[in-house]
Amino acid sequence: MTRSALWHPFTQHAIEPAPIRIGRTQGAYLETPDGKRILDAISSWWVITHGHRYPRIIDAVRTATQTLDQIIFAGLTHEPAETLASALVAMAPQGLDRVFLSDSGSTSVEVGLKMALGFHRNTGDPRSRIIVMEHSYHGDTIGTMSVGARGVFNAAYAPLMFAVDTIPFPAAGREQETLDHVEALTRDGRAAAVIVEPLVLGAGGMLIYPAWVLAEIRRITERTGTLLIADEVMTGWGRTGTLFACEQAGIAPDILCTSKGLTGGVLPLAATLATEAVFEAHLSTDRAKTFFHSSSYTANPIACAAAVANVGIWRDEPVAERVSALSRWQAERLSRFASDPRFANVRGIGTIAALDLRVRTPGYLAEAGPALRAFFLERGLLLRPLGNVIYVMPPYCITSAELDRLYDAIDEAADLACGR
Ligand SMILES: *Cc1c(COP(=O)(O)O)cnc(C)c1O
């Protein structure tokens, strides 16, 4: 075979096996050209919600291409974007009345950060410090890496990153410590924004914290005039059991970022929702106060049409029921490992389940991820552990029997990894 020119994401080409070619997707499955089926237990990096090639979304894409392709979104608008924006405002937590469209989760966060700085500057109270949570992940651009956890993944780029203030992760029993930090860092009224992944820190290891902590963070930010940015890029569209995770805390942030499941995972699209106050801060006869941001593919009509179809699915189909059934199945299967000595921190929220493998041999950790990935692939299962954290985040069409297959394999893998 001729050498591929492709450079894959988060891939060490010197060590890792050649990527598996996929020729077709359907429901919860990926299929190789020779017909091998692989169960997509991580929703293709957390984007696929209803299932691959969900007919209603695919049909909407096909229909949209009969009339539109990309059009410039400055000075022009179109039906799919207008419909999507109204729907998002109606579905999102109260008060998020403005919608800025872009094309990736990282970009939606960059947009949120820029909105926050613009808000303070334009209202005559320039603030620029951003408060972030330990172990967070917000994307891989320089700006989003700056507000995320530092480590081996971004050490090379650290010289370009901006400084932030970090609050500790609200681990069980230490929630007050987190809140005290928020309080201390916002008291002088100089922090521009607090950015959080609501309820679950995804790439940081599926770390879950209680909704009341988020509610308290909201209270403190409100009192100190600090904006709250909720990065719902992963948590949105049912992942945590509710449409948006913020709902469980009964809060509305000032800025909310959504992407991944926005189009059901079919096409790249992102939205940053903001309050009227944030929008109004940029409203002026002074052009210098304009919100200066754009990507070439902002509000791509085909992607917007896919998102409108997704919104329609949430409106017309029993998605909430599917999500709650899946959540229950996940919890049932996790309970089997609750006091299993091979695992620690057995946890779940909504459709997400995670457990830490207690690896016996030190140094095994470095290889655990790739070794486990290979083990699962041999069994036709796509799982991608984060170090020793095994997590299951499937599309909502997965069946109870398919989950059984997955958890049986996790059971087997644990014996292998823990050296039994
Ligand atoms: C995936 C993710 C992002 C980045 O989204 P991309 O589309 O990959 O740029 C940002 N925030 C969170 C919480 C994510 O999980």
Side-chain angles (χ1 to χ4, degrees), residues 327-338:
S327 304
R328 201 174 55 246
W329 295 342
Q330 287 272 60
E332 282 164 12
R333 278 156 190 84
L334 271 183
S335 66
R336 146 180 176 189
F337 299 110

Side-chain angles (χ1 to χ4, degrees), residues 46 104-107 109 137-140 197 203 231 233-234 259-260:
W46 321 345
S104 75
S106 300
T107 310
V109 172
Y137 176 80
H138 296 290
D140 277 331
E197 293 165 86
D231 176 357
V233 169
M234 185 279 276
S259 183
K260 293 190 171 128

Side-chain angles (χ1 to χ4, degrees), residues 130-288:
I130 306 290
I131 299 171
V132 310
M133 191 180 279
E134 182 191 16
H135 304 311
S136 292
Y137 176 80
H138 296 290
D140 277 331
T141 57
I142 299 290
T144 56
M145 285 191 299
S146 300
V147 295
R150 308 289 167 104
V152 63
F153 298 110
N154 49 41
Y157 328 112
L160 296 184
M161 293 189 221
F162 56 79
V164 295
D165 292 315
T166 306
I167 56 171
F169 175 76
R174 291 178 44 195
E175 297 91 348
Q176 192 54 46
E177 202 179 309
T178 301
L179 298 175
D180 291 345
H181 272 82
V182 181
E183 187 79 52
L185 290 167
T186 54
R187 195 178 296 137
D188 64 1
R190 292 187 51 210
V194 176
I195 179 166
V196 291
E197 293 165 86
L199 307 190
V200 196
L201 278 57
M206 300 297 156
L207 305 172
I208 303 169
Y209 63 94
W212 68 264
V213 175
L214 181 58
E216 283 302 309
I217 293 174
R218 166 77 288 196
R219 268 178 10 116
I220 299 168
T221 54
E222 218 156 26
R223 204 174 59 233
T224 55
T226 315
L227 297 182
L228 178 64
I229 305 175
D231 176 357
E232 294 246 19
V233 169
M234 185 279 276
T235 52
W237 304 101
R239 282 292 170 204
T240 68
T242 45
L243 179 60
F244 290 110
C246 282
E247 293 168 27
Q248 294 178 46
I251 63 141
D254 300 284
I255 294 168
L256 183 149
C257 309
T258 177
S259 183
K260 293 190 171 128
L262 174 58
T263 60
V266 172
L267 284 170
L269 184 70
T272 308
L273 278 65
T275 60
E276 196 60 26
V278 170
F279 177 79
E280 264 176 17
H282 293 84
L283 208 55
S284 171
T285 49
D286 176 2
R287 284 183 183 276

Side-chain angles (χ1 to χ4, degrees), residues 114-116 118-119 122 277-284 289-291:
K114 286 173 72 173
M115 282 177 177
F119 169 84
N122 290 353
V278 170
F279 177 79
E280 264 176 17
H282 293 84
L283 208 55
S284 171
K289 291 189 172 180
T290 303
F291 184 57

